[in-house]
């Protein structure tokens, strides 16, 4: 069992660079999302206890707790994505000489693809939740940390979009229309709303920083 | 002297979450950029030696070397950004009771701001160069790694935009019009071109993955 969150930044980059199957786009998406949630935590850390923001103290406490849990859950998706890819990688090596072998391989592939898609799906969901925290922090967080709100939504938008590319790769090969439709129906609106919200927040932050 | 690239992913996220001054948006931008360059390296690793792409062997070798140097240089900007922030953080504590103290503080602040802006400026430049590698890989890289090209440009676009927010914060306080104009004149076209190119590549990748 891997424990990629314990790897150094340098090792993570070097392993990504290599031809090793993981970490790939899914792990990168999870890391970007976790850092985006961490930036929401940073804004909370720089706001909590400040007189000027005392009226938001309760909100900041709630957002802090939620940011921490999203940071941890997104970080955990790095290993989950790596582990979920293993059964699929094993399928590629299965024999397919006879009709029976072909059918067995196809059935195992289909099952493995459904497993492989689950981490990227979760990364889209969790990253969207973290964007909602930044939306609230754009109003209630310390003005001194406004650029961190901007960086946060940029990381989370990239996380959602990377994860979605990895969802699509898998859906492309899954021959179960109701499974595919179920994921699309849930995720496409989340993705569209998350991209729009991240863009709005980023634009507002950039306008505040303009000189 | 810090050595943040040796931190674990978990520690980097936790320190970002905290109220510690670094890592902040600059370090996050550098990490996202380094991973985006690493994904260009991954595409090369999955292309090199494959018969189908033999005609690009020379190009892939060149892109591999460039991707590695950009990955390393962007990773190095994490520490550089942290170290460059230190003199600025010291300035905030300087006394400003008399006119003379005020003038000394202002002079030191101006010098420190020019130091602080240098890492984010470099991150914009390096990330743009890495986007150009992905542009080439979208044509010459293994089709099996097309989603990694997509994830790569998404990370690099976020890196550029995060770095630019951190450039703006500093430029806002620098009272040296020719210094500010010099940076703007160089970076604004790079930023615009990088965003456009990243969007085009991402759109093309998503179209290839559509099912």
């Amino acid at each position: 069992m891997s424990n990629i969150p314990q790897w150094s930044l340098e090792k993570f980059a070097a392993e990504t660079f290599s031809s090793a199957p993981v970490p790939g786009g899914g792990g990168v998406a999870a890391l970007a999302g976790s850092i985006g949630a961490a930036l929401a935590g940073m804004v909370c850390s720089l706001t909590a206890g400040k007189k000027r923001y005392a009226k938001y103290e309760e909100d900041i406490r709630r957002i802090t707790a939620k940011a921490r849990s999203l940071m941890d859950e997104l970080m955990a998706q790095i290993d989950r994505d790596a582990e979920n890819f293993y059964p699929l990688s094993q399928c590629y090596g299965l024999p397919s000489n006879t009709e029976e072998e072909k059918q067995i391989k196809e059935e195992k592939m289909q099952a493995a693809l459904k497993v492989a898609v689950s981490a990227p799906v979760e990364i889209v969901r969790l990253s969207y939740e973290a964007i909602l925290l930044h939306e609230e922090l754009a109003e209630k967080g310390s003005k001194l940390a406004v650029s961190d709100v901007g960086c946060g939504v940029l990381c989370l938008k990239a996380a959602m979009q990377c994860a979605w590319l990895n969802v699509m790769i898998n859906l492309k090969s899954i021959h179960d229309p109701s499974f595919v439709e179920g994921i699309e129906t849930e995720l496409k609106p989340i993705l569209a709303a998350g991209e729009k919200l991240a863009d709005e927040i980023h634009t507002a932050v950039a306008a505040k920083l303009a000189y």
Side-chain angles (χ1 to χ4, degrees), chain A residues 71-92:
Chain A
M71 172 181 83
D72 292 345
E73 286 176 79
L74 280 156
M75 188 64 81
Q77 299 302 316
I78 303 178
D79 277 347
R80 197 175 154 219
D81 187 62
E83 286 155 18
N84 286 350
F85 183 70
Y86 182 74
L88 186 60
S89 70
Q90 295 305 97
C91 286
Y92 293 120

Side-chain angles (χ1 to χ4, degrees), chain A residues 172-186:
Chain A
K172 200 178 170 117
S173 305
I174 295 177
H175 308 131
D176 176 346
S178 74
F179 179 88
V180 171
E181 205 189 311
I183 289 183
E184 280 183 340
T185 307
E186 185 203 344

Side-chain angles (χ1 to χ4, degrees), chain A residues 34-106:
Chain A
S34 182
I35 301 298
L39 283 163
M42 182 201 273
V43 179
C44 292
S45 303
L46 296 170
T47 306
K50 297 283 188 301
K51 255 189 201 165
R52 193 173 160 188
Y53 303 98
K55 62 182 166 182
Y56 299 130
E57 199 68 29
E58 277 297 308
D59 293 320
I60 294 299
R61 236 193 310 270
R62 171 179 47 77
I63 299 170
T64 302
K66 183 71 181 168
R68 185 178 305 274
S69 97
L70 289 172
M71 172 181 83
D72 292 345
E73 286 176 79
L74 280 156
M75 188 64 81
Q77 299 302 316
I78 303 178
D79 277 347
R80 197 175 154 219
D81 187 62
E83 286 155 18
N84 286 350
F85 183 70
Y86 182 74
L88 186 60
S89 70
Q90 295 305 97
C91 286
Y92 293 120
L94 289 174
S96 57
N97 301 311
T98 68
E99 279 311 309
E100 202 195 337
E101 281 177 351
K102 276 182 193 163
Q103 201 189 322
I104 290 173
K105 183 174 180 174
E106 172 63 12

